[in-house]
Amino acid sequence: MSRVTQLTAADADAMLLGAEFFGASIAGHHLEHFRSWLREVLLRRGPVPVVPPAELPAETQCAAIGVAGSMIAVVELPPSGDEPQGVAAALENQLDRKLGAVMAMNAATINALLPVIAAAELDLPIVDCDGMGRILPLISQTSYTVAGLPLTPMTATSAVRDQMSVVAEAQRAELLVRAMLNTAGGWLLCGLYPTTARQLVTGAIEGSISRVVRVGRVLAAARDRDHILRGLGSEVGATWLGGGQVVEVGPSGKRGAEPNQPANPTTVVVRERGSSGRVIRIEAQNELLLAVVDGVLVTAVPDLICLLDRNGLRIQGLERTNVGDEVDVLMVPAAPVWHTPAGLALAGPQAFGLPVRHPKEPVE
Amino acid sequence: MDHRWPAGSRIGVGMHRDSVTAALVAEGSQLGRNDLPLDSTWQELEGRLAIQLRQLGSRARTPVESVAWELSDLLTPLAEASPVAALRMLPRAPVSDALAGQPSPLLHTLVGHRANVRGGHDLFGFELAPPDVTGAVAVARAAAEAGYPALAITASGAMGCPEHEQLAAEAILDAVPGLRLCLSHEVGGLGVLQREAAAVLTLALQPRIGELIGACERATASGAPAATAWFVAGDGGRLSAERLRTFPASALGSGGAAALLGAAVLAEQPDASVVLADGDSYGLGYVRSGLPYASSDVMEVDRMRLAIPQAVISPVAVPDVGQAGVLADGTGPALVVGLRSDDIAAARSFSERSTSETRLVCDADVVAVGSAVTEPSAWLDLVVTADNPEELERVRGTLADRACTLLASSGARPGTERIVSSTVSPLSFLRSGSYRVVLRASGSIGGAP
C-alpha cells in the first residue's frame, strides 16, 4: 500500500471522507467546519510530515491527541480552535519534556483530524499510526494498551477551557474521564499515551494516517456504488456482507447495557430483496458490534462494520439510520493486533458483553 | 391500500421561474389545470392569478377549501437574499477564523456582521457559562448601526435550555426596537452551526417572502374567496401564511416534496418510490402512506446541513444494470416524473433506460397536484434522558403531545393530529440513557383523512 509522506491543505477533503469511513458508527454528522479548520491550519502552517514510527529517532517523545465523548456534543458545542495545541502544551508541562511528534489515539472521524491540526500548530510531524484503526468506545481500548504503554499522565481540556490532568491506571483513567465528561459539555480533548517512537514501532497500528487519506481519495473519486465497493476492497480489504432495506432499528431486547459502556444497546435489521431475502442483524452499542446473517455470526468487533447509504453513497452512522433506508453492509478486517488473544480480550465481542466468540477466535 | 387522499376541493399552485401552474384536485383526482407565463409585474400577475383560480374553482363540485402555493423556485438564488447579522453565545469565543464563521461561502456572504458573547448550555440544558446580556445588546446596537436590520441569535445547548437566547432577545428588543430577531431554538435541531445557518436564512429570506406571500394571499382572496391560502413546506407539509412569514426557510426544497406527492396522487399509489427528473440530474424519493419520506436534518444549502425538515431526495444516476435494486421500494413500480414540464423528456429517457419496473407519470404538473394534497405537519428533534424504558416511553408520550399541540397551532383541524413517525436513537459516547428523539406529526385541514 502506498504511504502518504505529508499532508497539505489539498488533502483536507480526503482526510474528512476517510476519517468518516473509519468512524462508521457515528458517520453522518456534518463536519464541514472541521474540514475548513483543517484546511485553514494547513494553509497557514504549511504541510505536516507523516512519518512511520521506525523512521523517527527512537527516543522521540510522542503523545496521542484525541477527543473523548460524543460527536453530537461536539457539534452542539464546537471547539474554539486552540484546544489541540493547548492540550499538547499542558501535557508537555506535565511531562516536563517537549513533544517531538504527535499521533492519533484513533484515526477516525474528528480524531483523525485533530492530531494533524495539533502537529501543524506545533510544527511537529504526525506519526503514521494510531491505537485503534477505527473507533472503539473506551480510550483504553487501544493497541497502545495491548502493548502495555501507559495511558497517563494525560491532560484534557473542555470547550469551556476547563483543564484537567490525570495520573492513574488505564481503567481508572477511563472512569475519571467519563465522570468529567458529564459536566464538561459532553466532550474533552485529551493528550494521552505519552511514549517514545521506539515503543510505537511495536505498540501502534502502523499506516493509519495514510490509510485514512487513501480511503478518502477512493470515496472522493467515487462515481457509483460499484466503484466504492471495489475501491474499499482493494484499499482496506472491505468485504460486502449484503445489502437491502433497513426494516428495524430499536433497542436490543437480547442484552442489558454493559455498565462500563456509554449509551444503550441497539439492533439494526437489514432485509435483502430478491429471492434470497437474507436477513442481516447488526447488534450495536456506540459501535456496530456484530453482524449475523440468517442466524449465522459472520463478523464481530473489533472488525469494522459499516453501513453504506446506497442512495447518497456515504457511510451512514448508527444515529442517522432509520427504517426504510437502503444500505450495503460492509466489513473491514481489524488490524492484526486485534485478533490476538490480548486484543480480543480488550476489544472483542465479550468485552462488550456479547456472549459470542469472534469468528477468528480459536476454540479452546 | 386504505389511504384516502383529501376529500374536499383544493387547488395547488406551482410557482416556477417562468410559469405558474394551478391544479384543482379532489379525492385524489385532478379535475382541472391551467397555466400562466410568469412574465409580468406582480401587480398584474395577482389579477391574472385570481382569474386562474376562479376558472379552476368553477369546475369544482364543492367550494374550494384551500389554495396551497409552492414558492421554492422563487426563493432562489439564495445569494440574492438580504444580508443579516449573527450573534453566537458560547462558553468561549472561537479563536480560529474557520470556526468563527460558517464553512459555506453562501452563508458567509449572508452574514454581514458577526460577533460572539459568553453564554450557552450543554446538550442537556446545564449552564456552561453565564449569559453576557450586556455584550449581546452591544452587538445588536453595532449591527443596527452598521445597517443590518436583523440578527440571528444562536446559543449552544439552546434546544436543551433556550433561556440565554431569550434573555438576550428581551434585552436587545428593549434597547434596539425594530431589529428583527430569530432565536435558533425557534428553528430547532441539533448543532450550533446548523441552527445558526437556518436562523440566518430565515431572516435573510423574510423580506422577499413577505412580498410573495402578500401577493398569493390577495390572489386567493380574490379568486377563491372561501379558501385559505397555505404554503408548501420542504417536508411536504403545509404552512400558514403567518408561519411562513416567520420561518421562510421552511419552504426551501418544497418543490421536490410536492412533486413526490403529486406523482403518488396521479399514479394512485400512496406508497411509492419516485424518481424526479430535475434539469440534468435525477433524484429518488419515497412516499409512504401519502406523505413524502422526510427527515429533520437532511437539508443542505451550499454543503451546509440545516436543521429544517425536508423530504429525502437522494441523487440517483441514469439507470444501468446496477441500478435495479436501488429503485424498487417493494411496494410497486418506481414512478418517474419531471419536476417541471420541460423535464418530462428526461423523465421519459430515464424510464425507457431503467432495468427496474418503472411507470412514467407525465400528464400533469406534479408540483401543483402535490401541493394541493399537502397537510399541516410539525416536527420535534430533541435530546432527552431516560433511565429506563418506562421513563423513555413517558418522555416520548409527552413529546408526542407537544408535537400535536404544535400541529394544532399550525392549522390542523382538532382531532386529526397523528404521529406519523417517531424515532428514538441512543446517542453514542454519552452517558447511558441519552437519546435523540425525532417526532413527525401530521394532521388534516379538512377533517379525518
Side-chain angles (χ1 to χ4, degrees), chain A:
Chain A
M1 292 295 173
S2 64
R3 191 164 75 73
V4 172
T5 56
Q6 67 170 11
L7 295 169
T8 72
D11 296 312
D13 284 4
M15 279 294 291
L16 193 76
L17 287 168
E20 187 172 61
F21 176 81
F22 289 105
S25 63
I26 56 173
H29 290 291
H30 226 51
L31 301 175
E32 285 298 314
H33 50 308
F34 278 87
R35 184 207 313 260
S36 304
W37 184 18
L38 176 64
R39 185 182 286 127
E40 182 268 319
V41 171
L42 289 172
L43 280 172
R44 178 167 46 82
R45 301 287 302 172
V48 169
V50 182
V51 185
E55 292 183 15
L56 285 166
E59 296 310 312
T60 302
Q61 180 67 55
C62 305
I65 302 286
V67 162
S70 148
M71 270 311 299
I72 279 200
V74 174
V75 168
E76 185 58 44
L77 192 62
S80 296
D82 56 1
E83 291 88 349
Q85 56 269 44
V87 81
L91 187 60
E92 287 178 333
N93 284 340
Q94 193 168 0
L95 297 171
D96 197 20
R97 195 173 169 192
K98 287 285 182 191
L99 295 180
V102 170
M103 73 234 192
M105 177 173 72
N106 57 326
T109 187
I110 56 171
N111 278 351
L113 313 183
L114 290 166
V116 179
I117 291 170
E121 293 285 12
L122 296 168
D123 203 16
L124 296 175
I126 185 159
V127 192
D128 195 1
C129 71
D130 79 337
M132 296 186 187
R134 49 164 298 158
I135 293 183
L136 289 164
L138 306 182
I139 58 173
S140 54
Q141 285 176 309
T142 62
S143 66
Y144 308 138
T145 301
V146 174
L149 304 181
L151 190 153
T152 72
M154 70 169 277
T155 54
T157 187
S158 73
V160 192
R161 202 56 155 148
D162 309 310
Q163 295 269 7
M164 289 148 271
S165 308
V166 176
V167 179
E169 289 182 354
Q171 283 70 25
R172 289 285 305 158
E174 182 78 55
L175 294 172
L176 290 166
V177 167
R178 295 286 154 207
M180 289 190 287
L181 280 173
N182 287 338
T183 45
W187 63 267
L188 289 167
L189 182 63
C190 304
L192 66 177
Y193 290 109
T195 188
T196 60
R198 181 200 310 277
Q199 303 274 29
L200 290 178
V201 172
T202 53
I205 297 170
E206 199 175 326
S208 303
I209 299 295
S210 292
R211 199 168 69 136
V212 165
V213 176
R214 289 200 312 269
V215 165
R217 287 173 182 161
V218 166
L219 295 172
R223 295 181 307 278
D224 54 41
R225 171 174 163 259
D226 291 343
H227 187 239
I228 290 181
L229 296 181
R230 277 199 304 275
L232 294 176
S234 72
E235 285 295 347
V236 290
T239 307
W240 182 77
L241 299 181
Q245 191 171 50
V246 176
V247 294
E248 183 184 334
V249 180
S252 172
K254 299 200 171 173
R255 57 203 167 93
E258 189 66 7
N260 71 336
Q261 297 276 344
N264 287 44
T266 307
T267 299
V268 177
V269 180
V270 178
R271 186 182 296 279
E272 287 192 327
R273 299 192 188 290
S275 53
S276 77
R278 296 188 306 162
V279 172
I280 305 168
R281 177 175 289 273
I282 298 162
E283 291 292 328
Q285 183 174 4
N286 299 298
E287 283 299 302
L288 305 179
L289 298 176
L290 58 81
V292 175
V293 179
D294 282 347
V296 178
L297 177 69
V298 293
T299 189
V301 67
D303 294 335
L304 179 66
I305 301 169
C306 315
L307 301 176
L308 175 69
D309 171 3
R310 283 182 168 185
N311 293 328
L313 300 180
R314 294 288 294 264
I315 298 300
Q316 177 161 305
L318 184 60
E319 290 166 5
R320 305 193 66 82
T321 299
N322 291 307
V323 170
D325 292 348
E326 293 282 344
V327 297
D328 286 302
V329 184
L330 311 180
M331 185 277 283
V332 178
V337 62
W338 289 126
H339 293 142
T340 65
L344 287 170
L346 187 62
Q350 292 174 24
F352 293 85
L354 296 164
V356 296
R357 287 177 183 280
H358 187 278
K360 289 194 174 173
E361 193 171 353
V363 178
E364 289 171 4

Side-chain angles (χ1 to χ4, degrees), chain B residues 124-204:
Chain B
F124 302 103
F126 295 108
E127 186 177 271
L128 293 173
D132 178 4
V133 174
T134 308
V137 170
V139 170
R141 280 207 175 98
E145 283 166 14
Y148 295 98
L151 176 68
I153 303 176
T154 311
S156 65
M159 295 309 293
C161 178
E163 190 177 76
H164 288 186
E165 291 185 354
Q166 290 165 337
L167 286 170
E170 284 169 22
I172 287 169
L173 287 177
D174 280 347
V176 194
L179 188 65
R180 280 187 294 120
L181 301 181
C182 181
L183 314 187
S184 81
H185 74 272
E186 296 171 337
V187 291
L190 297 174
V192 159
L193 272 78
Q194 287 83 346
R195 280 202 310 281
E196 181 185 78
V200 164
L201 273 177
T202 292
L203 292 169

Side-chain angles (χ1 to χ4, degrees), chain B residues 311-405:
Chain B
V312 177
I313 300 175
S314 308
V316 62
V318 175
D320 55 29
V321 174
Q323 204 65 57
V326 177
L327 292 181
D329 183 43
T331 55
L335 310 176
V336 186
V337 299
L339 189 58
R340 299 168 199 86
S341 55
D342 49 6
D343 292 321
I344 287 174
R348 180 173 287 112
S349 164
F350 188 103
S351 186
E352 288 168 354
R353 293 173 63 183
S354 177
T355 53
S356 293
E357 188 188 355
T358 62
R359 180 172 158 192
L360 183 66
V361 180
C362 62
D363 55 347
D365 183 298
V366 284
V367 173
V369 171
S371 299
V373 300
T374 53
E375 299 283 16
S377 64
W379 291 74
L380 284 179
D381 183 351
L382 297 170
V383 171
V384 302
T385 55
D387 290 333
N388 53 56
E390 294 75 28
E391 190 180 351
L392 182 59
E393 271 315 295
R394 271 197 303 279
V395 171
R396 206 167 164 173
T398 305
L399 293 177
D401 290 344
R402 200 167 132 195
C404 288
T405 304

